[in-house]
Amino acid sequence: MNNQTFTMPQKKIYIETYGCQMNVNDTEVIFSIMGREGYERTEDMAQADVILANTCSVRDNAEQRIRGRIEQFAVAKKNRPGTLVGIVGCMAERLKDALLDSGKVDIVAGPDSYRTLPQLVREASEGHPQINVILSREETYGDITPVRIDKNGVSAFISIMRGCNNVCSYCVVPYTRGAERSRDPQTIVREACDVFSRGYREVTLLGQNVDSYLWKGEDGEQVDFASLLEMVASVSPLLRVRFSTSNPQDISDKVLYVMRDHDNICKHIHLPVQSGSNVMLEKMRRRYTREWYLDRVEKIREVLPECGLTTDVIAGFCGETEEDHRETLSLFEQVCFDTAFMFYYSERPGTLAAKKYADDVPVEEKTRRLNEIIALQGKCSLKSYTADIGKTFRVLVEGPSKKNPEELCGRASNNKMCVFPDSRHRAGDYVDVRVVSATSATLLCQLVQPSGEATT
Ligand code: SAH
Ligand code: SF4
Ligand code: F3S
């Protein structure tokens, strides 16, 4: 007998991720689930036994991009017979069987069905296309340790909840992700401890509406978002905590005070406004007014004077008049966000707005309005970034800057990207920098010596 052992070549899985940070984290969950099944991650599609696209449905152009990719996957499949192609995530949930009709897709799996992926893959490899788009009221993948796919090993995403119970009339997310459910806080803290012990120095707690996080324990004990933030912040003073997304309706003063009281909770709030017009906000079924929003901003700035503030906005929603649009511009002018994600309205089939309102702002008009918002925000960003010149920030180093390998980059607490010449520090280090100049997206800085002097 010879003692030689033969190992089976490991099967490989390739995943492309589209959409929000939660999808990125879901991809990490999928790698973990498939890893247990013996699948190794590859970044080379041509070598993959399983190709997955983790998809987004939030706007039509997100879906169009994926349709294009399905054609590309079909080519890869032809070149390597036996390769399986799967569409997972929000578009899988929205389109269901229709995705199988093309004959180019072997697996369709919605966001709550990832535990069944190994089985779906096994059965699909026998030539039977598989689908699982059942949404769950309980699934949080709380016990699964995601396989991190970030490039820097410094900053990790942790999903604290899934789904969404709001019904913003334009939004497809409640249909693709199902009802809101919160994850057991102990599993969240454990995951934060785990990433910290592996060298990570920042976690971002993710949810569609983090302020409605609520865990009810068996003993009647309740943990809300403010308490969860405190628990995660207590893991280590060296672990930074960020979170996204805050809903203007639900963000509480308690959360602001917890942020103020913990140095390691970053002073940045992403607070999507969507529109500056009360008429639009009501049609959008956002549960706040322009006045409420501005009042929240005022409170944030009172409690957290150095807090970064960013937003999302939709131009050209159903029935939006020039006056409504002007209200959005004036709110942008008034608040002066650091950055904004700006979109024009894209009707999503099945949503309340699609059923109730005509998508009646012509695309040229939507584009013009969007461009006006973008131009104004460009000025506000520059103003906001320039206002930081002369300030000193503690930065968590993420690695070399993209443009110049002799410079490092990292974020200040307020989430602004800082770049600075430095060869001594590494990803994961904390350094103090002084801002010497700014663009509308970057703070150009110099290291501060312990004495407080900026180095040249
Ligand atoms: N849960 C977050 C948003 C998730 S979707 C919140 O409540 O703010 C991310 C952003 O996509 C939204 O903030 C919105 O600005 C944008 N968006 C959602 N649906 C859209 C649609 N149908 N058309 C254009 N933009 C949309
Ligand atoms: Fe969509 Fe509104 Fe839920 Fe955000 S809060 S995911 S915009 S329904
Ligand atoms: Fe995220 Fe897009 Fe789904 S924004 S929740 S991946 S529709």
Side-chain angles (χ1 to χ4, degrees), residues 259-319:
M259 289 175 76
R260 181 194 60 191
D261 294 343
H262 291 80
D263 280 345
N264 60 333
I265 303 181
C266 288
K267 308 299 181 271
H268 167 231
I269 298 177
H270 184 61
L271 198 67
V273 67
Q274 314 299 2
S275 171
S277 149
N278 282 336
V279 179
M280 288 297 107
L281 288 172
E282 190 170 343
K283 275 178 107 173
M284 288 175 165
R285 287 229 184 177
R286 297 291 280 184
R287 293 167 299 123
Y288 54 87
T289 59
R290 173 192 177 95
E291 292 71 30
W292 171 277
Y293 187 92
L294 291 172
D295 182 68
R296 290 285 79 201
V297 170
E298 205 172 305
K299 185 74 187 179
I300 291 168
R301 290 188 167 154
E302 176 199 316
V303 181
L304 306 165
E306 295 293 309
C307 191
L309 200 61
T310 55
T311 201
D312 293 348
V313 68
I314 301 176
F317 184 58
C318 310

Side-chain angles (χ1 to χ4, degrees), residues 315-445:
F317 184 58
C318 310
E320 188 189 70
T321 62
E322 186 61 27
E323 197 187 327
D324 294 318
H325 168 58
R326 299 266 143 225
E327 296 254 308
T328 296
L329 291 174
S330 86
L331 184 135
F332 267 59
E333 199 124 29
Q334 205 170 327
V335 176
C336 193
F337 298 106
D338 304 330
T339 324
F341 296 99
M342 299 161 279
F343 313 101
Y344 70 59
Y345 174 57
S346 164
E347 186 178 82
R348 309 311 295 131
T351 56
L352 227 65
K355 289 184 197 152
K356 235 175 127 179
Y357 306 120
D359 178 12
D360 54 1
V361 179
V363 69
E364 309 75 54
E365 186 58 22
K366 285 180 180 170
T367 311
R368 180 190 64 84
R369 291 180 191 176
L370 177 62
N371 286 337
E372 275 183 24
I373 302 173
I374 292 172
L376 171 60
Q377 182 51 43
K379 287 186 203 151
C380 295
S381 293
L382 187 61
K383 191 168 152 196
S384 156
Y385 278 65
T386 311
D388 285 338
I389 294 175
K391 292 183 188 165
T392 300
F393 290 132
R394 177 143 298 179
V395 162
L396 172 60
V397 178
E398 290 181 14
S401 104
K402 282 196 196 95
K403 286 192 188 142
N404 181 351
E406 281 165 26
E407 293 188 332
L408 293 178
C409 70
R411 286 173 197 280
S413 172
N414 65 12
N415 208 38
K416 289 178 183 162
M417 184 54 89
C418 300
V419 297
F420 48 96
D422 182 7
S423 53
R424 279 180 300 146
H425 294 96
R426 294 186 289 130
D429 288 345
Y430 284 102
V431 296
D432 290 332
V433 300
R434 176 163 305 144
V435 184
V436 287
S437 65
T439 71
S440 58
T442 313
L443 298 175
L444 310 170
C445 310

Side-chain angles (χ1 to χ4, degrees), residues 108-169:
V108 173
D112 287 344
S113 70
Y114 299 147
R115 284 182 205 268
T116 67
L117 269 173
Q119 188 191 340
L120 298 177
V121 165
R122 254 180 268 130
E123 285 170 20
S125 62
E126 281 158 25
H128 314 292
Q130 296 295 309
I131 177 163
N132 184 353
V133 287
I134 298 169
L135 286 173
S136 155
R137 293 199 157 263
E138 287 96 32
E139 182 62 272
T140 60
Y141 301 111
D143 57 317
I144 291 176
T145 306
V147 173
R148 304 288 162 192
I149 57 169
D150 55 273
K151 296 262 188 285
N152 58 26
V154 170
S155 187
F157 293 136
I158 301 184
S159 293
I160 61 165
M161 58 210 294
R162 298 182 72 82
C164 182
N165 277 357
N166 290 322
V167 267
C168 303
S169 62

